Amino acid sequence: MASVTLSLPAIPTSSLSLQSLGSLSKPKRELRPKPRPFPSHTLNKTSLRPLTSPHHGRLRVTSQLRHPIISPDDHWGLWTTLFATGAFGLWSEKTKIGGMVSAALVSTLVGLAASNVGIIPHEAGAYSIVLEFLLPLSIPLLLFRADLRYVARSTGTLLLAFLLGSVASMVGTLVAFLMVPMRSLGQDNWKIAAALMGSYIGGSVNYVAISEALGVSPSVMAAGVAADNVICALYFIVLFAFASKIPPEASTSTNDVSMKMESQIERKLPVLETATALATSFVICKASTHLTRLCGIQGGNLPVITALVVILATLLPTYFAYLAPSGETIALVLMQVFFTVLGASGSIWNVMITAPSIFVFALVQVTVHLALVLGLGKLFHFDLKLLLLASNANIGGPTTAGGMATAKGWHSLVVPGILAGIFGVSIATFLGIGFGIIVLKHL
């Protein structure tokens, strides 16, 4: 799915949401104690922004019901709910239904439901902390393996097939936007199109980074996650159908690189490596945000963080590869907490009326992608196995690409598939933002 501001527009009064109904019965201002936001972590009534934004005022907490069960001031209760929901999302992937829809969608939907029925608040200072600190912190942790030189050496022809798939995703986005412009979303239409394009080159982290950099509203982001996960589930069914007649490789032995990577992933997480990975990620985030402020790059925190960690991982591959297993585990948990916050900040009504148009757009997008990959791949005499795996890395990301190669018995392609996906995550944010601003915004 298969990174700065994140805008949260207020729900229009014409919308038939529980929030608009709840606003009619709000108690008088003096009877309702003001929540105390974290120092300098404030939220505008109509937007959810990082602290670097010049437009932040006092925190105003609202929920879909008058009084959420867990109040915005109950910090222990709120953080417990966020992490518990993220853990539930990860656990759900072990079930049949959860495995089909992904942990990200489960966490988003649970957060969405919890805020809309009044269990947790619709806005809170804790959400701002997730957006400004935990989300950026997860980006370097996910990209410690992004050694571009090693990717180029190890993937071979698969990398060329992956680049073909990336171009196909860009063309598919353009065709889909012309056919399904999603004008009902207003200015969010080209932004969510760019975010989905980034997701279909890299993965969900790129979707989040592009959405935040361009200022996509949380309800549209949540609807995009829902539509994207359904599309991906259908797409993988189609990919495996095309791959059904391709036999597994004769040898089941794995090379040294594959064995080394698998042993790193499966071993227990040492305390020292985990602490070092976190400290390194904090240093990268601090340096990147300072550089962003110094250069006056509006909304550039996540893209700069991505660029810096890719450069460092390429220059110091041994050090970052050593930290990668610990970093990826921590990042996975933090991303689940983010998806929970994303859902909690959204409106069920807005998601319901927004998701269908995004779904149709994404369907056209991936259909054109697949048609171009198979058509041009045949023209350039690519092996069908490479084309299908590269397309999986584009649409699903490194995890699903490695999973497909393992499931089909293509053992020599497991590591190259993962590395191609990591390469996509490294470049997709910049491609998505650039394509959105230069092309989609003016259509």
Side-chain angles (χ1 to χ4, degrees):
M1 274 158 272
S3 309
V4 175
T5 61
L6 178 60
S7 299
L8 176 57
I11 300 174
T13 56
S14 59
S15 174
L16 298 177
S17 66
L18 288 175
Q19 176 156 349
S20 61
L21 295 177
S23 65
L24 298 177
S25 57
K26 287 181 181 177
K28 293 182 180 179
R29 188 180 185 89
E30 60 272 13
L31 298 180
R32 184 180 184 182
K34 278 189 176 181
R36 297 176 59 191
F38 290 92
S40 78
H41 289 77
T42 55
L43 295 176
N44 191 293
K45 173 178 169 58
T46 59
S47 62
L48 186 60
R49 301 176 180 273
L51 300 185
T52 53
S53 169
H55 308 290
H56 55 273
R58 291 193 59 78
L59 171 67
R60 179 170 182 176
V61 179
T62 62
S63 83
Q64 301 291 21
L65 298 182
R66 184 194 296 180
H67 299 293
I69 296 174
I70 301 175
S71 72
D73 292 333
D74 184 2
H75 303 308
W76 282 110
L78 195 52
W79 283 109
T80 299
T81 303
L82 294 179
F83 275 89
T85 303
F88 175 76
L90 293 171
W91 170 84
S92 70
E93 286 198 328
K94 299 181 180 296
T95 66
K96 185 176 181 180
I97 297 177
M100 292 174 59
V101 299
S102 84
L105 181 58
V106 171
S107 296
T108 301
L109 293 179
V110 172
L112 182 67
S115 67
N116 278 263
V117 301
I119 297 176
I120 59 177
H122 189 60
E123 298 177 5
Y127 301 167
S128 181
I129 292 178
V130 172
L131 296 173
E132 184 169 358
F133 294 107
L134 299 191
L135 175 61
L137 188 66
S138 67
I139 304 298
L141 296 171
L142 284 170
L143 291 174
F144 282 165
R145 295 188 195 275
D147 176 5
L148 298 186
R149 291 178 300 183
Y150 180 68
V151 170
R153 290 195 308 267
S154 303
T155 53
T157 308
L158 180 62
L159 181 60
L160 296 178
F162 180 85
L163 292 174
L164 174 63
S166 300
V167 174
S169 291
M170 298 174 70
V171 175
T173 301
L174 181 60
V175 172
F177 195 73
L178 293 175
M179 294 178 62
V180 189
M182 302 179 289
R183 300 200 186 282
S184 61
L185 304 184
Q187 283 299 304
D188 277 336
N189 67 337
W190 67 270
K191 298 175 184 178
I192 197 66
L196 286 171
M197 189 194 87
S199 178
Y200 295 151
I201 294 176
S204 59
V205 65
N206 304 106
Y207 174 86
V208 171
I210 296 169
S211 296
E212 185 171 347
L214 298 180
V216 179
S217 63
S219 290
V220 175
M221 280 185 68
V225 170
D228 172 62
N229 278 275
V230 174
I231 288 294
C232 284
L234 296 175
Y235 190 76
F236 293 148
I237 293 174
V238 173
L239 280 187
F240 274 90
F242 276 107
S244 61
K245 295 183 179 180
I246 302 177
E249 295 174 354
S251 175
T252 59
S253 61
T254 55
N255 56 34
D256 293 338
V257 176
S258 177
M259 293 174 63
K260 181 179 179 181
M261 180 173 286
E262 289 177 3
S263 64
Q264 284 181 323
I265 293 174
E266 293 175 0
R267 68 185 176 181
K268 293 182 179 179
L269 297 178
V271 175
L272 178 59
E273 289 181 21
T274 302
T276 307
L278 276 172
T280 302
S281 185
F282 270 106
V283 170
I284 292 173
C285 290
K286 171 58 182 175
S288 300
T289 52
H290 178 72
L291 182 62
T292 300
R293 287 194 298 269
L294 193 64
C295 299
I297 305 174
Q298 183 69 21
N301 281 353
L302 296 189
V304 173
I305 289 172
T306 302
L308 183 57
V309 68
V310 170
I311 292 172
L312 291 175
T314 303
L315 295 178
L316 304 170
T318 303
Y319 173 76
F320 283 95
Y322 177 72
L323 301 178
S326 300
E328 289 164 357
T329 302
I330 300 169
L332 185 60
V333 176
L334 297 182
M335 287 300 295
Q336 289 306 120
V337 174
F338 165 76
F339 282 117
T340 304
V341 169
L342 175 62
S345 303
S347 160
I348 286 180
W349 176 260
N350 283 356
V351 170
M352 289 176 62
I353 64 176
T354 301
S357 62
I358 299 178
F359 176 84
V360 175
F361 172 86
L363 180 62
V364 175
Q365 199 176 18
V366 298
T367 300
V368 173
H369 163 90
L370 182 60
L372 287 176
V373 166
L374 295 180
L376 293 178
K378 185 176 181 179
L379 179 64
F380 295 127
H381 305 291
F382 280 100
D383 186 359
L384 179 60
K385 179 167 59 177
L386 294 180
L387 293 173
L388 296 178
L389 189 60
S391 180
N392 190 308
N394 280 131
I395 303 300
T399 304
T400 60
M404 181 179 186
T406 301
K408 295 300 298 179
W410 304 336
H411 303 291
S412 66
L413 294 176
V414 173
V415 172
I418 294 173
L419 293 176
I422 292 174
F423 175 73
V425 174
S426 303
I427 65 173
T429 296
F430 310 104
L431 292 177
I433 293 174
F435 193 79
I437 293 176
I438 297 173
V439 180
L440 300 177
K441 185 177 180 179
H442 303 287
L443 294 179

